[in-house]
């Protein structure tokens, strides 16, 4: 019988030495171990590269802001229950930010902008903080310190639908590369019983909802409209995922926002020489890095795609006499940009070392014959054994598969 606990990221993440927690750091504040840090770093570099290719420019902004900033954005009146308490700093109060969008709005308004610059796509992998109750915290999926893949596109009204649609396409490509399946798409709308939870501006909600429906309908995506799941300032498209136990969560989002450009008095100079209000498209391709890694652990059972695996190639000398050759193969792999390690005879029998490296995509066994001929007997994680190949060919093939970010581990010569 299938047991979803086998793929619970909280168990697997600790067994595979990816992350852990400590009571002195606090609940909902996991730390990353070296292999987990590799996965996180690789994922972050992937998303930065994808965003750069899509025309985004990256920024850094501080994780603190004055209380007045979040009063201006509307977070203080609509979202303060989920924020950490303000900290006194002399006569001022500063707050750990619950969101990146107010900071990006300030960055936008710090310079004048022409319609010729739009759309202006601003991205950041930045920290934010949520005062989650201890009862809902769990592993990497619900945490208090979040590294968010966030971006805000400042554009004209006429550009908003295309920019939101392009964000959905970027999400789909990322999911394909990461091996993630979307469970469903949700158009998240306000609930009638919000009682102050949502911005009171019916026209704002009507316009933004109509545009998001146009985005979804034009993309040919089946979706469900669900009330009570909107952001406080506007509706959003949520891309939902499910874990092995069938529990659903939001990973990626796209939003069209008329509220914050108004609150921050953002504008650009149009072709007519007059000031115009931009539209702010919020989008997150992989959501929080923590939740994305949690889902990847469970989706792949710890057997990450080769390009994302903490160790991509393990070299296994059969005996001590082949250790020097094994070390040379590792050096060549590292020079090729691959993540490679040596599993020496002192770490156990060959069979035990092979089993210990069962989640590594590629294993290179080096016996006496292989060492003499600069060969490696290749074993793949999926059970295939292509046999002995020249080390140069092995590194070329592995490098090509990693660079392609595909699911295939081995291609015909």
């Amino acid at each position: 019988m299938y047991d979803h606990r086998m793929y619970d990221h909280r168990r697997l993440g600790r067994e595979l030495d990816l992350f852990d927690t400590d009571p002195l750091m606090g609940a909902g504040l996991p730390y990353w171990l070296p292999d987990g840090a590799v996965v996180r770093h690789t994922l972050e570099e992937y998303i930065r590269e994808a965003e750069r290719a899509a025309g985004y420019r990256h920024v850094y902004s501080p994780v603190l802001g004055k209380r007045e900033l979040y009063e201006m954005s509307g977070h203080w009146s609509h979202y303060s229950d989920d924020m950490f308490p303000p900290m006194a700093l002399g006569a001022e109060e500063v707050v750990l930010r619950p969101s990146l969008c107010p900071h990006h709005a300030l960055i936008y308004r710090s310079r004048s902008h022409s319609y010729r610059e739009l759309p202006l796509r601003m991205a950041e992998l930045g920290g934010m903080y949520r005062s989650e109750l201890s009862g809902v915290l769990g592993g990497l999926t619900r945490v208090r310190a979040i590294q968010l893949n966030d971006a805000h596109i400042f554009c004209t009204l006429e550009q908003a639908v295309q920019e939101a649609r392009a964000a959905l396409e970027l999400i789909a490509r990322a999911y394909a590369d990461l091996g993630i399946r979307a469970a469903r798409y949700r158009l998240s709308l306000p609930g009638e019983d919000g009682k102050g939870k949502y911005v009171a501006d019916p026209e704002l909600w009507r316009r933004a909802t109509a545009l998001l429906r146009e985005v979804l309908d034009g993309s040919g995506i089946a979706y469900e409209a669900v009330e009570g799941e909107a952001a406080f300032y506007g509706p959003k498209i949520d891309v939902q995922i499910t874990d092995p136990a069938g529990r659903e969560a939001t990973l990626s989002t796209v939003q069209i926002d008329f509220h914050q450009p108004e609150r921050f008095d953002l504008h650009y100079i149009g072709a007519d020489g007059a000031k115009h209000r931009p539209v702010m498209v919020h989008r997150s391709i992989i959501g929080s890095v923590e939740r994305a890694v949690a889902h990847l652990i469970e989706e792949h059972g710890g057997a990450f795609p080769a390009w994302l695996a903490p160790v991509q190639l393990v070299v296994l000398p059969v005996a001590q006499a082949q250790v020097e050759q094994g070390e040379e193969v590792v050096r060549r792999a590292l020079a090729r940009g691959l993540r490679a390690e040596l599993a020496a005879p002192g770490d156990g029998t060959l069979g035990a070392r092979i089993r210990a490296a069962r989640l590594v995509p590629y294993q290179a066994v080096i016996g006496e014959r292989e060492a003499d001929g600069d060969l490696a007997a290749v074993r793949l994680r999926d059970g295939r054994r292509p046999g002995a190949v020249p080390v140069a060919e092995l590194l070329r093939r592995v490098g090509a598969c990693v660079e392609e970010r595909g699911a295939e581990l081995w291609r015909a010569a």
Side-chain angles (χ1 to χ4, degrees):
M1 179 181 292
Y2 176 77
D3 184 354
H4 67 81
R5 291 173 297 179
M6 292 176 58
Y7 296 104
D8 187 321
H9 82 278
R10 293 168 295 184
R11 183 184 66 81
L12 267 178
R14 288 173 171 83
E15 287 183 1
L16 299 177
D17 289 332
L18 300 177
F19 71 90
D20 214 328
T21 57
D22 190 289
L24 287 178
M25 293 186 190
L29 298 168
Y31 58 85
W32 298 83
L33 293 162
D35 278 356
V38 169
V39 175
R40 170 177 165 167
H41 176 79
T42 305
L43 185 60
E44 289 177 348
E45 284 303 296
Y46 163 78
I47 202 65
R48 284 193 183 97
E49 180 184 320
E51 287 171 339
R52 283 194 294 268
Y56 289 81
R57 303 289 301 278
H58 289 91
V59 298
Y60 289 105
S61 58
V63 299
L64 292 169
K66 288 185 180 181
R67 172 175 166 169
E68 291 91 330
L69 171 60
Y70 307 107
E71 291 173 340
M72 181 180 291
S73 70
H75 284 83
W76 196 256
S77 57
H78 296 282
Y79 200 76
S80 59
D81 288 347
D82 295 300
M83 297 170 62
F84 281 97
M87 297 173 280
L89 193 64
E92 300 175 341
E93 287 186 325
V94 294
V95 182
L96 285 167
R97 67 179 174 192
S99 176
L100 277 68
C101 41
H103 295 247
H104 288 186
L106 291 182
I107 293 173
Y108 176 88
R109 81 172 193 181
S110 70
R111 303 290 188 273
S112 61
H113 300 282
S114 161
Y115 72 97
R116 294 186 181 88
E117 298 173 59
L118 306 185
L120 191 158
R121 306 181 185 99
M122 186 185 302
E124 181 175 3
L125 271 160
M128 66 180 200
Y129 301 84
R130 302 279 171 87
S131 181
E132 299 275 13
L133 298 175
S134 58
V136 301
L137 299 172
L140 296 175
T141 54
R142 293 293 292 268
V143 294
R144 288 171 171 159
I146 302 164
Q147 193 73 12
L148 187 68
N149 159 230
D150 206 6
H152 299 92
I153 304 162
F154 301 89
C155 61
T156 67
L157 179 62
E158 294 74 22
Q159 294 168 333
V161 168
Q162 178 53 39
E163 288 300 313
R165 189 173 295 156
L168 283 178
E169 293 169 357
L170 195 54
I171 290 169
R173 288 199 296 273
Y175 280 27
D177 287 342
L178 293 165
I180 294 175
R181 293 167 291 180
R184 66 180 177 122
Y185 287 76
R186 187 177 74 190
L187 177 58
S188 296
L189 304 173
E192 293 183 1
D193 58 347
K195 295 182 180 179
K197 180 179 178 182
Y198 304 108
V199 169
D201 188 334
E203 179 61 15
L204 174 155
W205 290 97
R206 186 197 65 76
R207 294 172 67 202
T209 300
L211 290 176
L212 289 180
R213 285 191 185 275
E214 184 178 345
V215 171
L216 288 163
D217 293 339
S219 299
I221 294 173
Y223 65 94
E224 301 172 57
V226 179
E227 293 186 354
E229 297 292 343
F232 73 83
Y233 49 82
K236 56 195 175 93
I237 297 170
D238 289 325
V239 185
Q240 302 298 101
I241 55 172
T242 54
D243 68 11
R247 292 170 298 211
E248 187 176 290
T250 301
L251 184 60
S252 311
T253 61
V254 179
Q255 304 165 49
I256 292 179
D257 178 11
F258 295 103
H259 173 69
Q260 293 197 64
E262 184 75 28
R263 298 280 292 192
F264 285 95
D265 191 25
L266 305 183
H267 60 265
Y268 65 91
I269 305 301
D272 58 0
K275 289 184 179 181
H276 298 268
R277 187 81 68 205
V279 178
M280 194 170 174
V281 177
H282 306 236
R283 52 103 291 211
S284 182
I285 301 303
I286 58 167
S288 77
V289 173
E290 291 79 10
R291 180 169 290 181
V293 172
H295 186 68
L296 288 167
I297 293 170
E298 295 181 343
E299 185 73 19
H300 299 293
F304 296 104
W307 67 273
L308 195 56
V311 179
Q312 295 163 326
L313 171 67
V314 63
V315 180
L316 302 111
V318 173
Q320 191 63 34
Q322 290 88 49
V323 168
E324 185 175 346
Q325 173 65 6
E327 291 173 339
E328 175 60 22
V329 173
V330 170
R331 282 194 291 270
R332 290 165 65 180
L334 294 173
R336 180 73 168 70
L338 300 172
R339 295 188 288 273
E341 291 183 356
L342 186 78
D347 297 332
T349 66
L350 179 61
R353 286 179 280 147
I354 288 172
R355 289 191 295 275
R358 67 191 181 282
L359 296 180
V360 177
Y362 303 95
Q363 298 181 358
V365 179
I366 300 177
E368 184 176 351
R369 184 175 73 88
E370 288 80 16
D372 290 342
D374 195 28
L375 304 171
V378 181
R379 302 171 65 101
L380 305 181
R381 182 175 59 197
D382 60 16
R384 286 180 290 165
R385 300 186 187 184
V389 300
V391 170
E393 180 183 343
L394 167 65
L395 300 183
R396 178 183 60 79
R397 288 191 180 212
V398 172
C401 288
V402 168
E403 288 165 9
E404 288 175 7
R405 297 197 181 100
E408 182 59 57
L409 291 178
W410 196 259
R411 299 188 184 279

